[in-house]
Amino acid sequence: MLKKCPRCNKILPDSMFAPKTRHCKICRRDYDWQYKYGISPEQYFELYQQQEGKCKICGEKINEDEYLCIDHDKETGEIRGLLCKKCNLGLGHFKDS
C-alpha cells in the first residue's frame, strides 16, 4: 500500500514510513535530529564528512545505508561527534553523559 508523506509530499510504500507517525522515515529522522539535538541534516552530513563516515571513538566506518549516532552532552546539549552504535551503547552503559 502507498501513502503520502505530508511533509515532503512523496508517495511511498508503507515500509518507508516511521511507526506510529504519518511521516516518512527520512522526514521523521530530520525532525528527530532537529528536535532532539538541534542539528539539521546538512549539519549532520557536514560532521559525517569531517569524520569520513567513521566513529569518533573506534574509527569504524559504517555502511552507507546506515547512520552514525549523534553523541551529545546531556547537560549542555553540545554535539561532541558521531558514534557507531556499539560505542554509543558503550557510553550509555558507562553512564557517560
Side-chain angles (χ1 to χ4, degrees), residues 7 19-20 38-39 41:
R7 188 161 184 202
K20 299 179 184 178
I39 187 172

Side-chain angles (χ1 to χ4, degrees), residues 78-97:
E78 179 186 358
I79 303 222
R80 299 183 286 208
L82 304 175
L83 308 179
C84 69
K85 289 178 185 175
K86 291 177 189 174
C87 289
N88 192 47
L89 287 171
L91 286 180
H93 287 295
F94 288 124
K95 298 184 184 333
D96 179 32
S97 61

Side-chain angles (χ1 to χ4, degrees), residues 27-87:
C27 288
R28 182 60 198 208
R29 177 209 67 197
D30 293 351
Y31 172 80
D32 285 347
W33 286 349
Q34 187 67 49
Y35 179 75
K36 291 179 182 176
Y37 310 111
I39 187 172
S40 69
E42 294 79 18
Q43 291 169 311
Y44 172 91
F45 289 111
E46 184 178 316
L47 272 173
Y48 183 89
Q49 289 177 332
Q50 287 173 2
Q51 291 181 208
E52 299 175 346
K54 297 177 184 174
C55 173
K56 191 162 186 175
I57 293 176
C58 71
E60 182 178 325
K61 188 162 177 70
I62 61 161
N63 295 329
E64 288 188 20
D65 62 337
E66 297 178 320
Y67 296 100
L68 289 165
C69 301
I70 299 171
D71 179 40
H72 68 290
D73 184 298
K74 309 290 187 277
E75 291 180 19
T76 66
E78 179 186 358
I79 303 222
R80 299 183 286 208
L82 304 175
L83 308 179
C84 69
K85 289 178 185 175
K86 291 177 189 174
C87 289

